[in-house]
Amino acid sequence: MSILIQIIIYGLSLGMLYFLLSSGFSLIFGLMGVLNFAHGSMFMWGCYLGYILSLSTGSFLFGIIGAAVCIGVMGLVMEKWLIQPLRGNQLRQILLTFGLIYVLEELAKVIFGTRAYMQFPPEWLSGSAHIFSETVPQYRLFMIFAGVIVFLLMTLLLKKTKLGMIIRAGTDKPRMVQAIGINVARIFSITFALGCALAGLGGAIATPFLGAYPTIDMEQVFNAIAVVIIGGVGSFTGAFYASVILGFISYITSYFVPELSMASTLLAMLVVVMIRPNGLFGGKTSEN
Amino acid sequence: MKTKNKLVLALALLAAVLVVPALIGSSYIHSIIITICIYSIFAISYDLLLGYTGIVSFGHTVYFGVAAYVVAFTTVKLHWPFLAAVGMVIVVCVAISFIFSLVTLRTKNVYFSMVTMAIGQLFYVMSTKLYAITGGDDGLPGVKSIFPNKTVFYIAAVLILVCVYLFSKRLVNSPAGRVLQGVKENDARIGMLGYNTFKFKSIVIQISGLLAGLAGILYVNLNGIATPSILNSSMTLQILFMVILGGVGTLHGPVIGAAIMQIASIVLSGFTTRWMLIFGIGFVVVMLFFPKGVAGVFDRFSQPNQLRKE
């Protein structure tokens, strides 16, 4: 019984982390067709900025929100100067974002050094909670809470607002949206910034759990890729379910076979590619 | 007449490259040029996929790295003779590339890129975790070079590069090579014409995997050690940069790119430990403004009257 609760809480919190990481990746890819390999780097910068902002202001909440805003602005700049000029040329966009991984990683090493930063959760989250006689860290519960809140807010945004409607329409029929006179370039900028902000938020929330260190970008971008492949492109709820599934797979393997923990998400992804190339939860076809 | 001039020029260049440094060069300079040859072979093999077939694989270092590891493991741990190790590399590279193509060719375009990148990372993770086979982060040291000295190695490396270049040139100009270039332009149409595009793509992945494996064999001979860093995705970036800097879709481009990259990395690493930053920025600038690379700029000046095929 106790191990079951442990697996549920730990797996779910890991899944929420993957969701925060990959929801923006999936959103950008679904709408714009831009495969932003530098998404993990955005996450890493979110880790660093969250750490520094919450340390300098003394407020953890300010740290995570500040990190999200900063990375959002970073995404806006990146979209404007690097992604937009190459619009329509998917290959060059992919290669460019692949190169950006190294620019952002080396830049982080220059500024923050190569050491790992450890951050303690704020006092009001550092205790432990009791669920059915099982003791779990409060921070894990906070991660689940944050993931669910972001999921609900994003679902509201996508289903109930005009922007969300345009994003959903643009994901399905981009040409049609342009044809009825919507400024697609502006929507792309907003979506890209939003996706990056989500990565920054995820990074800042992950720091007390994972720490901030230079290779975290590569480790995490593969989780984002795995989520998108398993969840299906352009499917926001698909990304949510896929994240939860991967969270459980990842936690269960790291519990029983620690050596495989880093490879488990990649293996799960390859299995899905073999069985259902379009992902488990529909979405667009892989022809796109 | 023109082709004859070209041939004479190429032969003279080859003779100069072979003779001059062999007479006066130090062992250090030989090592640099051997490294350039190795990366040129690797980059040519990558360009067969990227430039000629339109396959954007981010997992190409797998063959290079696995070949190096296979040689290191079989010769150091199992004490096999070198030729047996080479045979093993061929078997392993063909097997891996066949499985690789089975898995990855189920997906297209962007998906393909993601899956290949994930497979590359899988091999990297395995190389750091499977301590019994790969030696973990420390790698597998102690590989003895089959070449008696650097000068012989140098001459062999240049000759192997020339062979690989000529083989690739023959390949891309053969009927099969034309089909591959057709696949790059319009996959579906080639399929409609009755060609089994899966088979062609699978074969080119295997050929390119073998060539990358050849580069890996030479690499481990030069450096004497196989480490996880050769399976890292930063290796993919470097090889990608060589091909793109030199010029995608040409066979001399990757060689130019490899030479520029290698010399630049030696010069830059003298100034700063963060030379990958400069590479990265350079890569982004090239991607934004010069997608055809150095060879593209060169072609533009050398053939001003020809209509360039896009």
Side-chain angles (χ1 to χ4, degrees), chain B residues 171-220:
Chain B
L171 175 73
V172 298
N173 288 326
S174 69
R178 296 289 177 209
V179 174
L180 292 177
Q181 290 168 52
V183 167
K184 184 191 175 190
E185 299 300 327
N186 193 334
D187 193 338
R189 184 175 290 178
I190 297 295
M192 297 285 194
L193 287 174
Y195 291 104
N196 184 347
T197 54
F198 175 84
K199 208 166 88 186
F200 276 95
K201 284 196 243 179
S202 177
I203 287 171
V204 78
I205 287 176
Q206 285 171 49
I207 290 174
S208 143
L210 271 178
L211 292 179
L214 177 65
I217 295 172
L218 292 174
Y219 176 91
V220 78

Short mmCIF file of all heavy atoms in Angstrom, two decimals, chain B residues 171-220:
data_model
loop_
_atom_site.label_atom_id
_atom_site.label_comp_id
_atom_site.label_asym_id
_atom_site.label_seq_id
_atom_site.Cartn_x
_atom_site.Cartn_y
_atom_site.Cartn_z
N LEU B 171 28.70 7.12 -56.50
CA LEU B 171 27.39 6.73 -55.98
C LEU B 171 26.33 7.77 -56.35
O LEU B 171 25.27 7.42 -56.87
CB LEU B 171 27.45 6.56 -54.46
CG LEU B 171 26.11 6.26 -53.78
CD1 LEU B 171 25.67 4.84 -54.08
CD2 LEU B 171 26.18 6.48 -52.28
N VAL B 172 26.62 9.05 -56.07
CA VAL B 172 25.57 10.06 -56.28
C VAL B 172 25.30 10.29 -57.76
O VAL B 172 24.23 10.75 -58.13
CB VAL B 172 25.88 11.40 -55.58
CG1 VAL B 172 25.97 11.21 -54.10
CG2 VAL B 172 27.14 12.03 -56.12
N ASN B 173 26.27 9.95 -58.63
CA ASN B 173 26.04 10.13 -60.06
C ASN B 173 25.50 8.86 -60.72
O ASN B 173 25.21 8.87 -61.91
CB ASN B 173 27.33 10.56 -60.76
CG ASN B 173 27.67 12.00 -60.41
OD1 ASN B 173 26.78 12.82 -60.23
ND2 ASN B 173 28.94 12.29 -60.25
N SER B 174 25.39 7.78 -59.96
CA SER B 174 24.85 6.55 -60.52
C SER B 174 23.33 6.66 -60.62
O SER B 174 22.74 7.57 -60.03
CB SER B 174 25.22 5.37 -59.61
OG SER B 174 24.51 5.48 -58.40
N PRO B 175 22.71 5.76 -61.37
CA PRO B 175 21.24 5.79 -61.43
C PRO B 175 20.61 5.74 -60.04
O PRO B 175 19.64 6.46 -59.77
CB PRO B 175 20.91 4.53 -62.23
CG PRO B 175 22.11 4.29 -63.08
CD PRO B 175 23.29 4.75 -62.27
N ALA B 176 21.18 4.92 -59.16
CA ALA B 176 20.62 4.84 -57.80
C ALA B 176 20.74 6.19 -57.11
O ALA B 176 19.84 6.63 -56.39
CB ALA B 176 21.35 3.76 -57.00
N GLY B 177 21.89 6.87 -57.34
CA GLY B 177 22.09 8.19 -56.74
C GLY B 177 21.07 9.19 -57.24
O GLY B 177 20.59 10.04 -56.49
N ARG B 178 20.72 9.07 -58.52
CA ARG B 178 19.69 9.96 -59.08
C ARG B 178 18.35 9.73 -58.39
O ARG B 178 17.61 10.67 -58.12
CB ARG B 178 19.54 9.72 -60.58
CG ARG B 178 20.76 10.05 -61.39
CD ARG B 178 20.99 11.54 -61.46
NE ARG B 178 22.21 11.84 -62.18
CZ ARG B 178 22.96 12.91 -61.96
NH1 ARG B 178 22.61 13.77 -61.04
NH2 ARG B 178 24.05 13.11 -62.65
N VAL B 179 18.05 8.46 -58.14
CA VAL B 179 16.80 8.15 -57.45
C VAL B 179 16.81 8.81 -56.07
O VAL B 179 15.82 9.41 -55.64
CB VAL B 179 16.60 6.62 -57.31
CG1 VAL B 179 15.38 6.33 -56.45
CG2 VAL B 179 16.47 5.99 -58.66
N LEU B 180 17.97 8.73 -55.39
CA LEU B 180 18.06 9.33 -54.06
C LEU B 180 17.80 10.83 -54.11
O LEU B 180 17.09 11.38 -53.27
CB LEU B 180 19.45 9.08 -53.47
CG LEU B 180 19.76 7.62 -53.13
CD1 LEU B 180 21.18 7.49 -52.62
CD2 LEU B 180 18.79 7.09 -52.10
N GLN B 181 18.39 11.49 -55.12
CA GLN B 181 18.18 12.92 -55.22
C GLN B 181 16.73 13.23 -55.57
O GLN B 181 16.18 14.26 -55.16
CB GLN B 181 19.14 13.52 -56.24
CG GLN B 181 20.58 13.50 -55.73
CD GLN B 181 21.61 13.81 -56.79
OE1 GLN B 181 21.51 14.81 -57.48
NE2 GLN B 181 22.60 12.95 -56.93
N GLY B 182 16.11 12.30 -56.29
CA GLY B 182 14.68 12.43 -56.55
C GLY B 182 13.87 12.31 -55.28
O GLY B 182 12.92 13.06 -55.06
N VAL B 183 14.31 11.39 -54.41
CA VAL B 183 13.64 11.22 -53.12
C VAL B 183 13.70 12.52 -52.34
O VAL B 183 12.74 12.93 -51.69
CB VAL B 183 14.29 10.08 -52.32
CG1 VAL B 183 13.84 10.10 -50.87
CG2 VAL B 183 13.97 8.73 -52.94
N LYS B 184 14.84 13.19 -52.44
CA LYS B 184 14.99 14.45 -51.72
C LYS B 184 14.00 15.48 -52.23
O LYS B 184 13.38 16.20 -51.45
CB LYS B 184 16.43 14.96 -51.89
CG LYS B 184 16.71 16.20 -51.08
CD LYS B 184 18.03 16.82 -51.47
CE LYS B 184 18.21 18.12 -50.73
NZ LYS B 184 19.35 18.88 -51.23
N GLU B 185 13.86 15.54 -53.57
CA GLU B 185 12.98 16.55 -54.14
C GLU B 185 11.51 16.21 -53.89
O GLU B 185 10.74 17.06 -53.49
CB GLU B 185 13.20 16.66 -55.66
CG GLU B 185 14.60 17.08 -56.07
CD GLU B 185 14.98 18.44 -55.51
OE1 GLU B 185 14.09 19.29 -55.37
OE2 GLU B 185 16.17 18.65 -55.20
N ASN B 186 11.14 14.99 -54.18
CA ASN B 186 9.74 14.62 -54.03
C ASN B 186 9.62 13.12 -53.81
O ASN B 186 9.58 12.32 -54.74
CB ASN B 186 8.96 15.04 -55.28
CG ASN B 186 7.47 14.96 -55.05
OD1 ASN B 186 7.01 14.19 -54.21
ND2 ASN B 186 6.72 15.76 -55.78
N ASP B 187 9.55 12.78 -52.55
CA ASP B 187 9.49 11.40 -52.11
C ASP B 187 8.32 10.65 -52.74
O ASP B 187 8.49 9.57 -53.34
CB ASP B 187 9.37 11.42 -50.57
CG ASP B 187 9.61 10.07 -49.96
OD1 ASP B 187 9.46 9.07 -50.67
OD2 ASP B 187 9.93 10.02 -48.77
N ALA B 188 7.15 11.27 -52.67
CA ALA B 188 5.93 10.60 -53.13
C ALA B 188 5.99 10.29 -54.62
O ALA B 188 5.60 9.22 -55.07
CB ALA B 188 4.72 11.47 -52.81
N ARG B 189 6.52 11.27 -55.40
CA ARG B 189 6.53 11.08 -56.84
C ARG B 189 7.45 9.92 -57.24
O ARG B 189 7.12 9.13 -58.13
CB ARG B 189 6.97 12.36 -57.54
CG ARG B 189 6.91 12.25 -59.03
CD ARG B 189 7.22 13.54 -59.70
NE ARG B 189 6.16 14.53 -59.52
CZ ARG B 189 6.23 15.77 -59.99
NH1 ARG B 189 7.31 16.16 -60.63
NH2 ARG B 189 5.26 16.62 -59.80
N ILE B 190 8.60 9.83 -56.56
CA ILE B 190 9.51 8.72 -56.84
C ILE B 190 8.82 7.40 -56.53
O ILE B 190 8.97 6.41 -57.26
CB ILE B 190 10.81 8.88 -56.01
CG1 ILE B 190 11.56 10.14 -56.42
CG2 ILE B 190 11.71 7.66 -56.19
CD1 ILE B 190 12.08 10.14 -57.83
N GLY B 191 8.03 7.40 -55.45
CA GLY B 191 7.27 6.20 -55.11
C GLY B 191 6.29 5.84 -56.21
O GLY B 191 6.15 4.68 -56.60
N MET B 192 5.62 6.88 -56.75
CA MET B 192 4.65 6.68 -57.82
C MET B 192 5.30 6.09 -59.07
O MET B 192 4.69 5.35 -59.82
CB MET B 192 4.01 8.02 -58.24
CG MET B 192 3.24 8.69 -57.16
SD MET B 192 1.67 7.90 -56.90
CE MET B 192 0.86 9.16 -55.93
N LEU B 193 6.57 6.50 -59.30
CA LEU B 193 7.26 6.01 -60.49
C LEU B 193 7.62 4.54 -60.37
O LEU B 193 8.19 3.96 -61.29
CB LEU B 193 8.53 6.83 -60.73
CG LEU B 193 8.30 8.26 -61.24
CD1 LEU B 193 9.60 9.01 -61.30
CD2 LEU B 193 7.65 8.22 -62.61
N GLY B 194 7.35 3.96 -59.22
CA GLY B 194 7.57 2.52 -59.07
C GLY B 194 8.82 2.15 -58.30
O GLY B 194 9.16 0.98 -58.20
N TYR B 195 9.50 3.15 -57.79
CA TYR B 195 10.69 2.82 -56.99
C TYR B 195 10.27 2.57 -55.55
O TYR B 195 9.39 3.25 -55.02
CB TYR B 195 11.70 3.98 -57.02
CG TYR B 195 12.34 4.18 -58.36
CD1 TYR B 195 11.94 5.22 -59.18
CD2 TYR B 195 13.33 3.32 -58.81
CE1 TYR B 195 12.52 5.43 -60.42
CE2 TYR B 195 13.92 3.50 -60.04
CZ TYR B 195 13.51 4.56 -60.84
OH TYR B 195 14.09 4.74 -62.06
N ASN B 196 10.94 1.62 -54.95
CA ASN B 196 10.70 1.35 -53.53
C ASN B 196 11.56 2.32 -52.72
O ASN B 196 12.74 2.07 -52.45
CB ASN B 196 11.07 -0.10 -53.23
CG ASN B 196 10.77 -0.48 -51.81
OD1 ASN B 196 10.51 0.38 -50.96
ND2 ASN B 196 10.81 -1.77 -51.52
N THR B 197 10.99 3.48 -52.36
CA THR B 197 11.80 4.52 -51.73
C THR B 197 12.35 4.07 -50.38
O THR B 197 13.44 4.45 -49.99
CB THR B 197 11.00 5.81 -51.53
OG1 THR B 197 9.82 5.50 -50.81
CG2 THR B 197 10.65 6.45 -52.83
N PHE B 198 11.58 3.23 -49.68
CA PHE B 198 12.06 2.74 -48.39
C PHE B 198 13.39 2.00 -48.57
O PHE B 198 14.34 2.20 -47.83
CB PHE B 198 11.02 1.81 -47.75
CG PHE B 198 11.51 1.17 -46.48
CD1 PHE B 198 11.41 1.85 -45.27
CD2 PHE B 198 12.10 -0.09 -46.49
CE1 PHE B 198 11.88 1.28 -44.11
CE2 PHE B 198 12.57 -0.66 -45.33
CZ PHE B 198 12.45 0.02 -44.14
N LYS B 199 13.43 1.16 -49.62
CA LYS B 199 14.63 0.37 -49.87
C LYS B 199 15.82 1.27 -50.18
O LYS B 199 16.90 1.11 -49.62
CB LYS B 199 14.38 -0.60 -51.03
CG LYS B 199 15.21 -1.86 -50.96
CD LYS B 199 14.69 -2.91 -51.91
CE LYS B 199 15.31 -2.76 -53.28
NZ LYS B 199 14.74 -3.68 -54.27
N PHE B 200 15.58 2.27 -51.03
CA PHE B 200 16.68 3.17 -51.39
C PHE B 200 17.19 3.94 -50.16
O PHE B 200 18.38 4.07 -49.94
CB PHE B 200 16.22 4.15 -52.47
CG PHE B 200 16.32 3.57 -53.86
CD1 PHE B 200 15.23 2.98 -54.46
CD2 PHE B 200 17.53 3.61 -54.54
CE1 PHE B 200 15.33 2.44 -55.72
CE2 PHE B 200 17.64 3.07 -55.80
CZ PHE B 200 16.54 2.48 -56.40
N LYS B 201 16.23 4.43 -49.36
CA LYS B 201 16.64 5.19 -48.18
C LYS B 201 17.38 4.29 -47.20
O LYS B 201 18.40 4.69 -46.63
CB LYS B 201 15.41 5.81 -47.51
CG LYS B 201 14.87 7.01 -48.23
CD LYS B 201 13.93 7.78 -47.33
CE LYS B 201 12.54 7.79 -47.88
NZ LYS B 201 11.59 8.50 -47.03
N SER B 202 16.85 3.09 -47.03
CA SER B 202 17.49 2.15 -46.11
C SER B 202 18.93 1.85 -46.56
O SER B 202 19.86 1.82 -45.75
CB SER B 202 16.67 0.87 -46.03
OG SER B 202 17.30 -0.06 -45.21
N ILE B 203 19.10 1.66 -47.88
CA ILE B 203 20.43 1.34 -48.39
C ILE B 203 21.38 2.52 -48.20
O ILE B 203 22.53 2.35 -47.76
CB ILE B 203 20.35 0.93 -49.87
CG1 ILE B 203 19.73 -0.47 -49.97
CG2 ILE B 203 21.73 0.94 -50.52
CD1 ILE B 203 19.39 -0.89 -51.37
N VAL B 204 20.90 3.74 -48.46
CA VAL B 204 21.81 4.87 -48.31
C VAL B 204 22.15 5.09 -46.84
O VAL B 204 23.27 5.47 -46.50
CB VAL B 204 21.26 6.15 -48.98
CG1 VAL B 204 20.20 6.83 -48.14
CG2 VAL B 204 22.39 7.13 -49.24
N ILE B 205 21.20 4.80 -45.96
CA ILE B 205 21.51 4.91 -44.53
C ILE B 205 22.59 3.91 -44.16
O ILE B 205 23.52 4.20 -43.39
CB ILE B 205 20.23 4.71 -43.67
CG1 ILE B 205 19.33 5.93 -43.79
CG2 ILE B 205 20.58 4.46 -42.21
CD1 ILE B 205 18.02 5.81 -43.06
N GLN B 206 22.51 2.70 -44.75
CA GLN B 206 23.52 1.69 -44.43
C GLN B 206 24.89 2.05 -45.00
O GLN B 206 25.91 1.90 -44.32
CB GLN B 206 23.06 0.33 -44.93
CG GLN B 206 21.97 -0.26 -44.05
CD GLN B 206 21.35 -1.49 -44.64
OE1 GLN B 206 22.06 -2.40 -45.06
NE2 GLN B 206 20.05 -1.53 -44.70
N ILE B 207 24.92 2.54 -46.24
CA ILE B 207 26.20 2.94 -46.83
C ILE B 207 26.82 4.05 -46.01
O ILE B 207 28.00 4.02 -45.64
CB ILE B 207 26.00 3.41 -48.29
CG1 ILE B 207 25.64 2.22 -49.18
CG2 ILE B 207 27.26 4.09 -48.81
CD1 ILE B 207 25.28 2.59 -50.59
N SER B 208 25.99 5.03 -45.69
CA SER B 208 26.49 6.17 -44.93
C SER B 208 26.93 5.74 -43.53
O SER B 208 27.93 6.24 -43.00
CB SER B 208 25.40 7.23 -44.93
OG SER B 208 25.34 7.89 -43.75
N GLY B 209 26.20 4.79 -42.96
CA GLY B 209 26.60 4.26 -41.66
C GLY B 209 27.95 3.57 -41.73
O GLY B 209 28.79 3.73 -40.84
N LEU B 210 28.17 2.82 -42.81
CA LEU B 210 29.46 2.13 -42.97
C LEU B 210 30.61 3.13 -43.10
O LEU B 210 31.68 2.96 -42.51
CB LEU B 210 29.42 1.24 -44.21
CG LEU B 210 28.93 -0.18 -43.97
CD1 LEU B 210 28.90 -0.93 -45.29
CD2 LEU B 210 29.83 -0.91 -42.99
N LEU B 211 30.37 4.20 -43.89
CA LEU B 211 31.43 5.20 -44.06
C LEU B 211 31.72 5.90 -42.73
O LEU B 211 32.89 6.15 -42.39
CB LEU B 211 31.02 6.23 -45.13
CG LEU B 211 30.94 5.70 -46.56
CD1 LEU B 211 30.51 6.79 -47.50
CD2 LEU B 211 32.28 5.12 -46.99
N ALA B 212 30.66 6.22 -41.99
CA ALA B 212 30.86 6.83 -40.68
C ALA B 212 31.62 5.87 -39.76
O ALA B 212 32.49 6.29 -38.98
CB ALA B 212 29.52 7.21 -40.05
N GLY B 213 31.31 4.57 -39.88
CA GLY B 213 32.04 3.57 -39.11
C GLY B 213 33.51 3.54 -39.47
O GLY B 213 34.38 3.44 -38.59
N LEU B 214 33.79 3.68 -40.77
CA LEU B 214 35.19 3.74 -41.22
C LEU B 214 35.91 4.92 -40.55
O LEU B 214 37.04 4.79 -40.06
CB LEU B 214 35.21 3.90 -42.74
CG LEU B 214 36.56 4.06 -43.42
CD1 LEU B 214 37.37 2.79 -43.25
CD2 LEU B 214 36.36 4.36 -44.91
N ALA B 215 35.23 6.07 -40.52
CA ALA B 215 35.81 7.23 -39.85
C ALA B 215 36.06 6.93 -38.37
O ALA B 215 37.08 7.32 -37.81
CB ALA B 215 34.89 8.45 -40.00
N GLY B 216 35.09 6.21 -37.76
CA GLY B 216 35.24 5.85 -36.34
C GLY B 216 36.45 4.95 -36.11
O GLY B 216 37.18 5.11 -35.13
N ILE B 217 36.68 3.99 -37.02
CA ILE B 217 37.84 3.10 -36.90
C ILE B 217 39.13 3.92 -36.93
O ILE B 217 40.03 3.74 -36.11
CB ILE B 217 37.85 2.06 -38.04
CG1 ILE B 217 36.64 1.13 -37.93
CG2 ILE B 217 39.14 1.26 -38.03
CD1 ILE B 217 36.48 0.21 -39.12
N LEU B 218 39.21 4.85 -37.89
CA LEU B 218 40.41 5.69 -38.00
C LEU B 218 40.57 6.56 -36.75
O LEU B 218 41.68 6.73 -36.24
CB LEU B 218 40.32 6.57 -39.25
CG LEU B 218 40.41 5.83 -40.58
CD1 LEU B 218 40.17 6.79 -41.73
CD2 LEU B 218 41.77 5.16 -40.73
N TYR B 219 39.44 7.06 -36.25
CA TYR B 219 39.48 7.94 -35.08
C TYR B 219 40.10 7.22 -33.88
O TYR B 219 40.98 7.75 -33.21
CB TYR B 219 38.06 8.41 -34.75
CG TYR B 219 37.98 9.26 -33.50
CD1 TYR B 219 38.08 10.64 -33.58
CD2 TYR B 219 37.79 8.68 -32.24
CE1 TYR B 219 38.01 11.42 -32.45
CE2 TYR B 219 37.73 9.46 -31.11
CZ TYR B 219 37.84 10.83 -31.21
OH TYR B 219 37.78 11.60 -30.08
N VAL B 220 39.63 6.00 -33.65
CA VAL B 220 40.11 5.29 -32.47
C VAL B 220 41.58 4.88 -32.66
O VAL B 220 42.35 4.78 -31.72
CB VAL B 220 39.20 4.09 -32.12
CG1 VAL B 220 39.48 2.91 -33.02
CG2 VAL B 220 39.33 3.71 -30.66
#
